[in-house]
Amino acid sequence: MLRFLTSGESHGKGLTIVIEGIPAGLSLSEDFIAVDLGRRQKGYGRGRRQRIEQDRAEIMAGVRHGETLGSPIALFVQNRDWANWTDAMAIEPIDKEIEKVTRLRPGHADLAGTVKYDFDDVRPILERASARETAARVAVGGVCKRFLEEFGLGFRSHTVQIGEITADVSEEINWDAVEESPVRCADAAAAERMVAAIDDARNAGDTLGGVVEGRVTGVPIGLGSHIQWDRKVDGRLAQALMSIHSVKGVEIGGGFALTRMTGSHVHDVILPRERWTSGMWERETNNAGGTEGGITDGQDIIVRIALKPIATLPRSLPSADLRTGEEIAAHYERSDVCVVPAAGVIVEAMCAIVLAGTALEKFGGDHMRETLRNFRTYQETTGPRDLRE
Ligand SMILES: Cc1cc2nc3c(=O)[nH]c(=O)nc-3n(C[C@H](O)[C@H](O)[C@H](O)COP(=O)(O)O)c2cc1C
């Protein structure tokens, strides 16, 4: 019911996005989408590209007088860097000789992509494999967040680990501190050490990865379904998060740590009504991370991603040449040292995209009035059965 496509090369004219399925009557502005695009560009460890770009999604269709029309929403995010690549990335045939990239970079799509698509140049592969595409996803995530705001959902993310430095997350997260931190980490002491670790990696011509956590609040019970593998919300979240560039692992709730605990310590005890403070079903813990049986259980959704260190190294790795197969140092092109802080914003976007899809499946509707009417009617039926009005 909700679908989108992105198009665009990293150094092409820009990113084009078409989103279909958002109901009519949702207020939406370029300024709203711009907030997350700006957040994605920040973070200690990013390269010079982020100083060139000032991402803003222009709404090209699907919105009139500040409200969605129910028609496809088209967005365009311009690449300012395009001005420096007009020959190398020209749309029309070009007379000049453009140098081919043949020094394969391990950790990128370079080898597999050129073999698969039968290119003698890595450029066509690296341009689309680039995480520049995540700007488009964050724009889509912005639209989905705006939609889900109407249901009371909120999205947060923070950095848990960079390289060997792990944040203390035992206290309640101070979200303002996260947004102000150069590495989007709530633990100020750990953040300082993370910044130093990024400096060390940069000075050594190396790169760093890490772990980011995303949280979604205000999630109703009942998004996703247990009835088929591809309708399970945890499965859909895992696919969406794993598709983010550099991601090598996804956890939901307690994740891998749950394997070291016994069942009696893992499962989230359902509290009796007299202990509820919110007027709705409550649990003692949230080890499940907000999903049971592929359905949201009314608790916050908690997800974590593991990002490998950036694959383009200033001190190039040994590699082989695409043409000859002979030993050669891997290609180096201006690059980020650590993208863990930025990844949190992309995690929020991917969660918003998945949850907007499941919310539309559950509540339907062509206009927001209809969608929200369905939502409110449903909410009235989610309490204990004998107590329903
Ligand atoms: C926000 C973000 C920015 C990234 N920037 C770079 C970069 O500057 N240089 C680089 O080599 N990889 C960068 N990456 C990672 C690559 O895009 C990614 O490793 C590559 O496309 C291979 O895909 P895979 O790691 O998912 O297998 C970035 C990833 C993210 C999430």
Side-chain angles (χ1 to χ4, degrees):
M1 295 193 62
L2 177 75
R3 51 186 182 158
F4 74 95
L5 283 175
T6 75
S7 146
E9 280 69 45
S10 182
H11 302 103
K13 287 186 183 176
L15 300 157
T16 306
I17 304 138
V18 178
I19 311 165
E20 192 189 283
I22 297 290
L26 177 73
S27 72
L28 183 66
S29 69
E30 290 179 1
D31 284 348
F32 185 89
I33 301 169
V35 173
D36 276 356
L37 287 173
R39 289 170 74 226
R40 190 197 77 99
Q41 291 198 269
K42 289 195 207 140
Y44 201 76
R46 303 228 56 195
R48 207 168 59 81
R49 174 79 188 263
Q50 300 316 315
R51 275 176 259 147
I52 297 173
E53 304 296 347
Q54 272 181 359
D55 288 338
R56 193 171 167 90
E58 191 181 347
I59 300 176
M60 309 295 282
V63 177
R64 178 169 177 258
H65 302 161
E67 284 196 359
T68 56
L69 300 173
S71 53
I73 298 168
L75 305 174
F76 182 71
V77 182
Q78 191 195 338
N79 287 335
R80 289 198 177 188
D81 206 10
W82 155 251
N84 304 315
W85 292 80
T86 46
D87 284 348
M89 292 303 293
I91 304 277
E92 299 293 329
I94 186 160
D95 285 340
K96 279 189 202 159
E97 191 64 35
I98 305 291
E99 198 186 342
K100 291 182 172 147
V101 178
T102 60
R103 290 176 290 139
L104 299 163
R105 299 167 308 165
H108 277 286
D110 295 11
L111 174 59
T114 45
V115 168
K116 177 175 166 67
Y117 284 86
D118 199 12
F119 284 122
D120 63 353
D121 181 3
V122 180
R123 175 71 52 204
I125 299 299
L126 73 82
E127 283 290 331
R128 182 62 186 161
S130 158
R132 177 75 189 138
E133 191 257 349
T134 60
R137 298 200 209 181
V138 167
V140 180
V143 174
C144 292
K145 279 187 181 181
R146 181 69 274 289
F147 171 67
L148 292 169
E149 259 186 4
E150 299 284 332
F151 304 82
L153 274 72
F155 294 81
R156 294 289 192 187
S157 62
H158 67 114
T159 299
V160 173
Q161 189 194 321
I162 289 182
E164 299 273 0
I165 319 291
T166 305
D168 177 0
V169 288
S170 54
E171 309 262 307
E172 203 171 312
I173 303 292
N174 177 341
W175 298 110
D176 291 336
V178 170
E179 296 304 322
E180 279 157 28
S181 161
V183 283
R184 305 197 70 251
C185 176
D187 175 350
E192 220 169 280
R193 285 186 286 132
M194 288 171 181
V195 166
I198 293 169
D199 287 339
D200 288 348
R202 184 186 285 112
N203 294 337
D206 219 329
T207 58
L208 283 176
V211 177
V212 164
E213 185 172 88
R215 295 194 192 179
V216 191
T217 55
V219 187
I221 295 184
L223 304 183
S225 176
H226 62 295
I227 66 153
Q228 205 68 261
W229 71 273
D230 58 353
R231 291 190 56 188
K232 288 177 181 262
V233 72
D234 47 355
R236 289 165 68 171
L237 284 167
Q239 194 278 328
L241 294 168
M242 188 58 93
S243 78
I244 299 172
H245 307 66
S246 293
V247 172
K248 282 295 186 189
V250 175
E251 285 187 320
I252 298 184
F256 281 62
L258 299 182
T259 59
R260 291 190 292 273
M261 296 155 71
T262 56
S264 58
H265 292 94
V266 164
H267 300 294
D268 305 312
V269 167
I270 301 170
L271 297 177
R273 187 155 55 96
E274 56 271 22
R275 288 181 58 194
W276 299 352
T277 53
S278 64
M280 194 39 76
W281 302 104
E282 280 180 28
R283 309 287 186 117
E284 216 152 61
T285 51
N286 185 13
N287 289 323
T291 124
E292 283 176 323
I295 312 172
T296 56
D297 63 10
Q299 299 224 80
D300 291 355
I301 288 186
I302 302 175
V303 296
R304 271 182 300 282
I305 57 165
L307 294 133
K308 70 183 186 185
I310 290 298
T312 307
L313 302 182
R315 185 169 292 177
S316 296
L317 286 171
S319 186
D321 188 90
L322 174 66
R323 253 176 323 221
T324 63
E326 280 170 13
E327 186 172 0
I328 195 164
H331 175 71
Y332 178 73
E333 197 161 291
R334 182 195 57 209
S335 189
D336 298 322
V337 175
C338 177
V339 298
V340 176
V345 184
I346 307 165
V347 167
E348 292 176 24
M350 295 316 291
C351 288
I353 290 166
V354 169
L355 293 175
T358 57
L360 277 164
E361 285 156 24
K362 178 86 183 111
F363 306 117
D366 293 307
H367 192 283
M368 285 305 290
R369 273 192 298 273
E370 186 184 5
T371 309
L372 290 171
R373 195 164 54 232
N374 294 344
F375 170 62
R376 282 191 286 267
T377 308
Y378 168 73
Q379 287 291 77
E380 285 163 16
T381 67
T382 55
R385 297 196 67 86
D386 287 357
L387 302 183
R388 288 184 200 162
E389 315 249 308

